[in-house]
Amino acid sequence: MVTIYDIAKECNCSSATVSKVFNNVGNISENKRREVLAAAQRMGYVPNVTARNLVKRRSNMVGVLLYVDESLGLRHELFAEILNRFRTEMEKSGYEILLISEKADQWEGKLLDHCRALRLDGVFCLCCDYEAAAVQELLTSEIPVVGFESPYPKKPSIESKNFEAGRRLTEYLIQNGHREIVFIAGKDVPITRDRIAGYRAALDENGIPFEEGRLLHAGYYSNDHGRNATQMLLNCGKSFTAVMYPDDFTAIAAYRDLAAAGLYVGKNISVTGFDGVSIGSMVSPRLTTIRQDAACIGVRAAELLIGLIDGSGIKEGMERLDFTLVPGESVYRLD
Amino acid sequence: MVTIYDIAKECNCSSATVSKVFNNVGNISENKRREVLAAAQRMGYVPNVTARNLVKRRSNMVGVLLYVDESLGLRHELFAEILNRFRTEMEKSGYEILLISEKADQWEGKLLDHCRALRLDGVFCLCCDYEAAAVQELLTSEIPVVGFESPYPKKPSIESKNFEAGRRLTEYLIQNGHREIVFIAGKDVPITRDRIAGYRAALDENGIPFEEGRLLHAGYYSNDHGRNATQMLLNCGKSFTAVMYPDDFTAIAAYRDLAAAGLYVGKNISVTGFDGVSIGSMVSPRLTTIRQDAACIGVRAAELLIGLIDGSGIKEGMERLDFTLVPGESVYRLD
DNA sequence: CTGAAAGCGCTAACAG
DNA sequence: CTGTTAGCGCTTTCAG
């Protein structure tokens, strides 16, 4: 591998001069500049970022924390898309993206040290278990971190306006004549509570009494394709004409199970999802859902992280992003 | 940041001794060993991998080349899953995973230099345009590379047994009484040609004449949700009772469009997909498809790459992996 | 405008 | 068993 010393020798100058040329610093005569650049080109010089990073004491690399899971993490289009936008945004600022697995048990408090050892400039907690000790250690460390749907308020984080989303979706159902609305909520995390609060607010605002029995609890993106969720629904002992599922996949999977019980989505049962994954508009009936703005989330996460790294941005606080209600055919008008 | 020198001072020994302790090399007395470890612990020492990498002349990092695309890349469950398995496998051997975007136009021949500058130990071309000059440059370079569905024979690569898959799927339709089978093939790349060859072989073997008009060409995972593919189908001027779509998403999206034309999947039209994404078994009718073994692909890619890096593995050649025919309800029996 | 020199933090012979 | 020494390749004062 050719180094700046090789080039220096070739150009009868010092390595310092060569270095300056590549970094556009100091005053280098246009002649020397050209000469060095030409030599570098000719000799096939490739800078060694490792060496540069060592002296600069930074890696120009940010980590993205992601579950290793059968049904979650990258496999979910929402996260994949957020990551997509995040990385293109980070790349614009010259950062590399390193994948970090959250293998909760294996880290044993080593997650933070791992990030430190790599001298990561920052970390984006995209999809992780915020309850895990290793993750909390990271969140409370000196490392710049931004989170998605993070419950930790001392670092910048992003999420959709889940309260409003829950309310908007419920309202939409009510506007379509539904009053017996079951909400199958996801895992009990802050965003879920927000959505539930929104659901209740909408009921309240429309004079519909909240029934404990119509609020069910399931997981998100359950491995059983939401079968349990639907099972719970059918056994809930309450009448209902509409069901809000915790996420699109669970909702779509429910089409089948509901039909098996004589409930035909969009005909005699209304169903909604959450997230707005692309498959929702491909299936029949098209799924009515809340589309989270993945692009915006990814970009904003990048902006926040960069701001945090260079100290120019906000230091903490939650930022709630807008969403879109996507009307589909899975909600029928009940008159 | 505390360095090995700080620890050395604390323990009245040299940095070399400390280094040896952390690397488990040389002969260090158990006493010194414990002392160093204790001091490191107490002082909060975290090794600097950058420095280590500089002297070791390697990064312990491999890149994963991925499109930045609306509908492809990470957003596709198959690739996401392959990446998932790949990274867990690579992590077992201590490698970090770096995401590399294939922004074809932007690299302008800089992809290879980018990898070199980062001193990547290897690259996995998971989802990229093998026609792109930048990618070809990488494939023909000195950098260890393994590809997925790569056409380049001089580096190890993996793909499913596409010829057999195409044949098997066609056979399955024939076994179900279909003889007028349209194959909407994906983008014209080697694996597509293999599938087509398999399709033709199955027809041949069953005495069914191949009709040019029943072989259509579309893209994979088209952005229009496969609308064009189905449009082509309806306009192909040939009779048909079964359609093989290029991938699951396109197939699932077709359910709607076919129904709009009076063709009800699993009733009076048979449809198949390709890949075996999870949504295929959630929709109704369940999609009959070829499931690619994503787990195996990811793991094998990791093994091949590691073997290539440390010189212990094969240097080139294609490896074709087994697949599974997943019978669904989207194929009806034609008697 | 250019260069000498001192590191960044760690590893790897080679002596002792 | 431990330490000395010489780098890895690059950046960055500080003189000149």
Side-chain angles (χ1 to χ4, degrees):
Chain A
M1 288 269 77
V2 12
T3 72
I4 52 172
Y5 287 99
D6 301 322
I7 298 178
K9 202 174 298 171
E10 182 82 1
C11 299
N12 302 308
C13 64
S14 76
S15 66
T17 303
V18 177
S19 172
K20 284 168 190 159
V21 167
F22 288 119
N23 291 287
N24 285 311
V25 297
N27 279 332
I28 306 292
S29 68
E30 192 52 28
N31 274 347
K32 239 332 162 263
R33 191 187 155 64
R34 285 187 199 291
E35 187 185 349
V36 166
L37 255 18
Q41 176 79 41
R42 174 161 26 90
M43 304 168 75
Y45 169 73
V46 179
N48 184 325
V49 288
T50 308
R52 185 208 305 266
N53 288 344
L54 178 58
V55 35
K56 288 270 191 79
R57 284 114 166 267
R58 63 188 330 244
S59 63
N60 279 306
M61 235 164 39
V62 297
V64 174
L65 194 56
L66 277 171
Y67 261 137
V68 173
D69 185 286
E70 293 291 305
S71 58
L72 242 185
L74 282 186
R75 299 221 359 201
H76 194 292
E77 188 183 310
L78 177 66
F79 296 106
E81 180 60 7
I82 293 174
L83 177 54
N84 250 355
R85 308 307 278 255
F86 175 78
R87 69 172 162 136
T88 51
E89 197 63 23
M90 291 305 290
E91 280 165 0
K92 285 183 197 162
S93 298
Y95 287 96
E96 305 294 329
I97 307 292
L98 195 82
L99 255 31
I100 312 178
S101 299
E102 194 219 319
K103 18 179 188 182
D105 42 335
Q106 290 180 55
W107 282 117
E108 291 173 18
K110 286 298 170 208
L111 212 205
L112 177 55
D113 278 354
H114 185 71
C115 297
R116 282 178 177 151
L118 288 165
R119 295 299 188 270
L120 294 186
D121 294 339
V123 175
F124 176 27
C125 295
L126 173 52
C127 175
C128 59
D129 176 11
Y130 287 103
E131 306 283 304
V135 176
Q136 298 213 343
E137 197 182 26
L138 176 63
L139 276 166
T140 53
S141 75
E142 79 286 356
I143 294 185
V145 175
V146 339
F148 175 57
E149 302 187 339
S150 158
Y152 187 70
K154 292 298 185 184
K155 298 269 168 159
S157 76
I158 304 173
E159 60 186 46
S160 290
K161 291 178 176 168
N162 285 292
F163 172 84
E164 285 80 358
R167 179 162 71 173
R168 184 77 193 82
L169 204 50
T170 311
E171 257 172 12
Y172 180 79
L173 287 167
I174 295 172
Q175 285 162 1
N176 276 275
H178 294 280
R179 295 182 67 85
E180 298 177 333
I181 304 169
V182 169
F183 181 19
I184 304 180
K187 187 180 169 201
D188 184 34
V189 289
I191 60 153
T192 302
R193 290 195 278 273
D194 288 346
R195 291 178 193 175
I196 292 174
Y199 161 74
R200 297 191 58 158
L203 293 182
D204 263 14
E205 290 157 14
N206 288 275
I208 302 174
F210 166 72
E211 298 265 3
E212 196 67 59
R214 291 211 175 91
L215 177 59
L216 305 178
H217 293 276
Y220 287 106
Y221 334 110
S222 30
N223 281 322
D224 66 351
H225 294 178
R227 194 130 315 132
N228 285 341
T230 300
Q231 215 47 252
M232 285 169 59
L233 172 73
L234 298 175
N235 296 330
C236 80
K238 290 282 176 183
S239 56
F240 55 84
T241 63
V243 190
M244 291 161 56
Y245 278 87
D247 66 280
D248 291 348
F249 288 117
T250 310
I252 291 170
Y255 283 20
R256 290 184 67 89
D257 302 316
L258 290 170
L263 295 171
Y264 299 99
V265 176
K267 302 286 187 195
N268 58 352
I269 176 88
S270 286
V271 160
T272 64
F274 212 101
D275 287 346
V277 301
S278 59
I279 194 79
S281 60
M282 300 186 197
V283 295
S284 187
R286 291 187 207 282
L287 183 64
T288 297
T289 189
I290 292 287
R291 170 152 23 245
Q292 300 206 56
D293 194 341
C296 189
I297 294 168
V299 170
R300 197 67 194 114
E303 290 171 354
L304 285 174
L305 190 52
I306 292 172
L308 200 57
I309 292 171
D310 65 24
S312 69
I314 64 171
K315 302 275 174 289
E316 59 176 71
M318 164 93 57
E319 203 165 302
R320 288 179 225 263
L321 270 38
D322 285 325
F323 56 86
T324 319
L325 173 77
V326 182
E329 304 151 343
S330 63
V331 171
Y332 75 106
R333 179 145 199 99
L334 179 64
D335 294 304
Chain B
M1 289 269 76
V2 14
T3 72
I4 52 172
Y5 287 99
D6 300 321
I7 298 179
K9 203 175 298 171
E10 182 82 1
C11 299
N12 302 309
C13 64
S14 76
S15 65
T17 303
V18 178
S19 172
K20 284 169 190 156
V21 168
F22 288 118
N23 290 288
N24 285 311
V25 297
N27 280 332
I28 306 291
S29 69
E30 193 53 26
N31 274 347
K32 245 315 155 286
R33 191 188 155 64
R34 285 188 200 291
E35 188 186 349
V36 166
L37 255 18
Q41 176 80 42
R42 173 161 27 89
M43 304 169 72
Y45 169 73
V46 179
N48 184 326
V49 288
T50 308
R52 185 208 305 268
N53 289 343
L54 178 58
V55 37
K56 288 272 191 75
R57 285 114 167 273
R58 64 190 327 249
S59 63
N60 279 305
M61 233 164 42
V62 297
V64 174
L65 194 55
L66 277 170
Y67 260 138
V68 173
D69 186 286
E70 294 290 306
S71 59
L72 242 185
L74 282 186
R75 300 221 0 200
H76 194 293
E77 189 182 311
L78 176 67
F79 295 107
E81 180 61 7
I82 293 174
L83 176 54
N84 250 355
R85 310 307 279 253
F86 175 78
R87 69 172 162 138
T88 52
E89 197 64 22
M90 291 305 290
E91 279 166 359
K92 285 183 197 162
S93 298
Y95 287 96
E96 305 293 329
I97 308 292
L98 195 82
L99 254 33
I100 311 178
S101 300
E102 194 219 319
K103 20 178 189 182
D105 42 335
Q106 290 179 55
W107 281 117
E108 291 173 16
K110 286 297 170 207
L111 213 203
L112 176 56
D113 279 354
H114 185 71
C115 297
R116 282 178 177 153
L118 288 166
R119 295 298 187 271
L120 294 185
D121 293 339
V123 174
F124 177 27
C125 294
L126 173 51
C127 175
C128 59
D129 175 10
Y130 287 104
E131 305 284 303
V135 176
Q136 298 214 342
E137 197 183 25
L138 176 63
L139 276 167
T140 53
S141 76
E142 79 288 355
I143 294 185
V145 175
V146 341
F148 175 56
E149 301 186 339
S150 158
Y152 187 71
K154 292 295 184 184
K155 298 269 165 157
S157 75
I158 303 173
E159 59 186 46
S160 290
K161 291 178 175 167
N162 285 293
F163 172 84
E164 285 80 357
R167 180 162 70 174
R168 184 80 192 79
L169 204 50
T170 311
E171 258 173 9
Y172 180 79
L173 287 168
I174 294 171
Q175 285 162 1
N176 276 275
H178 294 280
R179 297 181 65 84
E180 298 176 333
I181 304 169
V182 169
F183 182 18
I184 304 180
K187 188 181 167 199
D188 183 34
V189 289
I191 59 153
T192 302
R193 290 195 279 273
D194 288 345
R195 291 177 193 174
I196 292 174
Y199 162 75
R200 297 191 58 158
L203 293 181
D204 263 14
E205 289 158 15
N206 289 275
I208 303 174
F210 166 72
E211 298 265 0
E212 197 66 58
R214 290 210 175 91
L215 177 59
L216 306 179
H217 294 276
Y220 288 107
Y221 333 111
S222 29
N223 281 323
D224 64 352
H225 294 176
R227 193 128 317 130
N228 285 341
T230 300
Q231 215 47 253
M232 286 169 59
L233 172 71
L234 298 175
N235 296 332
C236 79
K238 290 280 177 183
S239 55
F240 55 86
T241 64
V243 190
M244 291 161 57
Y245 277 88
D247 66 280
D248 291 348
F249 287 116
T250 309
I252 291 170
Y255 284 21
R256 289 184 67 89
D257 301 318
L258 290 170
L263 296 171
Y264 300 99
V265 176
K267 302 287 187 195
N268 58 353
I269 176 87
S270 285
V271 161
T272 64
F274 213 101
D275 287 345
V277 299
S278 60
I279 194 79
S281 60
M282 299 186 198
V283 295
S284 185
R286 290 187 208 282
L287 183 64
T288 297
T289 188
I290 293 288
R291 170 153 21 248
Q292 301 207 56
D293 193 341
C296 189
I297 293 168
V299 170
R300 196 68 193 115
E303 290 170 355
L304 285 174
L305 190 52
I306 292 172
L308 199 56
I309 292 171
D310 66 23
S312 70
I314 63 170
K315 302 275 175 289
E316 59 175 73
M318 165 92 56
E319 203 163 302
R320 288 179 224 263
L321 270 36
D322 284 325
F323 57 87
T324 318
L325 174 76
V326 183
E329 305 151 342
S330 63
V331 171
Y332 75 105
R333 179 145 198 99
L334 179 65
D335 294 303

